[in-house]
Amino acid sequence: MDTLETRELRYFLAVAEELHFGRAAERLGMAQPPLSRAIQQLERRLGVCLLKRNRRGVSLTGAGEMLLHEGRAALDATTAAARRTRRAGGADRPGSPRNHLVLAVKAGASHELLHKLLEAYAAEPDAAEIEVLPSGTCEQEAMLRDGRADVALMHAPFNSLAGFDSEELMTEGQIAILPAGHPLAAQRTLSLADVSDIPGLPLARWSRHGTYPPGPGPEIHDQTQLAQLIALGRTVAVFPDSARAWLWAEHTAVPLTDAPPVVTHIAWPAHSRSLALAGLIRTATRL
């Protein structure tokens, strides 16, 4: 038995992620008994035990951990194929040009580079329409993997480029973004240690892969929320230098002397055969 159905994978992933058959069944919109039977049938077909069941609940076996990892990737690939196929045929946006690409970008980052890229590519003959899709921190990876995006601007070391083809576009330093009236805003430079433990001004916390790092700082959901909290003197944030483009008058940017450089890449799925995407990559590497 060397094949799996997407339905089976969705059932298993729901149970593996919830570690509770009742919650998984509710998430899937089905009754619990048929879900339990489906998982048991999957285990029989694979010839392995995927889940340990006892009175305390459900846990994954080694084989279950493997299927959780591989199954997520497989479902992402299936979803991506469907989304990109619909996009290629124009089914995702009736009446719009069929030849278009979705470019995922981190909101507020690499603003000048993005502007130059869009302007230069639009001047190319046979240029595709570019739909810019702003995202939160680290969301570009998932957007590429599940087909919501065809290409993305990614920022090392914050984004993982594993599994993608990429080209390096620019390198920049990092800045601390502080309330304009804060005493540290008058400094010419700061260190990471200077901004990591400011009394009454904790570092903002961004979600990474669905979870927030521990700390006293506010949980940030979008750039507008962050900008307002900094202006109100409630938090401080560390960003690439190009973030200066969206700063308010109530903000001050101070260079960080010891922060690692941020390298912006243009990245795309390694298996892509899109001529429009190839043209966009060529334009990007000429900037």
Side-chain angles (χ1 to χ4, degrees), residues 48-170:
V48 296
C49 177
L50 299 171
L51 301 167
K52 295 177 183 177
R53 305 161 178 84
N54 54 47
R55 292 181 179 178
R56 293 191 299 272
V58 178
S59 61
L60 292 170
T61 64
E65 292 278 3
M66 176 62 72
L67 187 57
L68 174 61
H69 174 75
E70 296 288 344
R72 281 172 173 161
L75 277 185
D76 278 349
T78 301
T79 302
R83 282 174 170 160
R84 292 192 175 109
T85 298
R86 287 176 56 81
R87 192 149 59 239
D92 61 329
R93 298 193 310 172
S96 67
R98 292 190 178 187
N99 191 22
H100 79 280
L101 297 170
V102 177
L103 170 61
V105 299
K106 179 183 173 183
S110 305
H111 177 79
E112 184 177 353
L113 173 66
L114 176 60
H115 181 78
K116 288 180 178 178
L117 173 59
L118 295 176
E119 188 176 66
Y121 181 65
E124 293 289 326
D126 302 321
E129 177 186 322
I130 301 296
E131 177 186 349
V132 177
L133 186 61
S135 71
T137 300
C138 296
E139 289 182 356
Q140 305 100 303
E141 301 164 42
M143 290 176 172
L144 276 186
R145 296 190 199 283
D146 67 17
R148 283 176 288 168
D150 301 297
V151 60
L153 293 184
M154 310 265 270
H155 309 280
F158 307 112
N159 296 128
S160 170
L161 297 168
F164 301 122
D165 284 341
S166 65
E167 289 284 349
E168 183 177 322
L169 300 183
M170 64 176 282

Side-chain angles (χ1 to χ4, degrees), residues 17-31:
E17 291 170 354
E18 298 290 345
L19 292 178
H20 190 282
F21 275 92
R23 290 195 298 269
E26 183 178 355
R27 169 174 152 182
L28 292 165
M30 63 187 298

Side-chain angles (χ1 to χ4, degrees), residues 199-253:
L201 200 65
L203 274 168
R205 293 182 295 138
W206 288 92
S207 171
R208 298 209 174 187
H209 309 295
T211 60
Y212 286 90
E219 295 182 354
I220 303 301
H221 306 290
D222 56 54
Q223 180 186 321
T224 301
Q225 176 202 18
L226 174 65
Q228 185 170 31
L229 288 175
I230 295 174
L232 291 172
R234 301 300 178 89
T235 191
V236 60
V238 173
F239 263 78
D241 190 76
S242 55
R244 293 175 185 270
W246 58 262
L247 297 189
W248 297 1
E250 295 92 341
H251 301 154
T252 294

